[in-house]
Amino acid sequence: MSGYLTTHVLDTARGTPAAGIEIALYRVSGNSHKKIATAVTNADGRTDGPILPEGKFKTGTYELIFFAGDYLRRTGAAEGETLFLDQIPIRFGMDEECHYHVPLLLSPYGYSTYRGS
């Protein structure tokens, strides 16, 4: 089995999946970031497929950036020019070839993540 990476976003304030959030995936090496994928969450708050599929997977350090600001404005959870949460970066390492799942639990004033299954 080759490794792959999936993600999803849940709106914990509303108790629903967070649809329409753009996500960018970067490979990180020192101070260098290389964008390798983008996706948008669907009605289930998930990407339509792995954001890093088998065949493109490499171990190393990665960063997911969740562009949450537009979603928070669209749902009425946040307003104004400067939001408390706008772009949310999550940096993590993958050191073996397996399935990694890195979800985002989102509210207007806080977020959390974990290594899912």
Side-chain angles (χ1 to χ4, degrees):
M1 176 175 129
S2 181
Y4 63 103
L5 171 66
T6 57
T7 187
H8 76 274
V9 184
L10 296 175
D11 182 331
T12 57
R14 297 174 63 216
T16 62
I21 294 183
E22 181 183 346
I23 305 167
L25 176 65
Y26 292 83
R27 184 166 171 83
V28 179
S29 179
N31 289 327
S32 172
H33 288 64
K34 180 181 178 188
K35 185 189 286 186
I36 56 174
T38 59
V40 176
T41 58
N42 60 25
D44 288 330
R46 300 178 181 279
T47 58
D48 289 334
I51 193 158
L52 184 60
E54 291 184 63
K56 293 188 176 184
F57 182 90
K58 293 180 184 175
T59 59
T61 303
Y62 290 83
E63 189 167 273
L64 284 166
I65 298 181
F66 297 85
F67 295 87
D70 289 340
Y71 170 82
L72 293 169
R73 282 187 181 99
R74 190 170 58 250
T75 60
E79 56 185 42
E81 188 174 326
T82 303
L83 300 181
F84 182 72
L85 293 176
D86 191 4
Q87 296 180 20
I88 301 172
I90 299 175
R91 186 174 292 187
F92 56 96
M94 299 187 291
D95 64 352
E96 59 183 288
E97 292 207 9
C98 63
H99 176 205
Y100 288 84
H101 184 69
V102 180
L104 178 70
L105 306 178
L106 174 66
S107 75
Y109 300 103
Y111 66 91
S112 65
T113 190
Y114 58 93
R115 181 176 173 184
S117 57

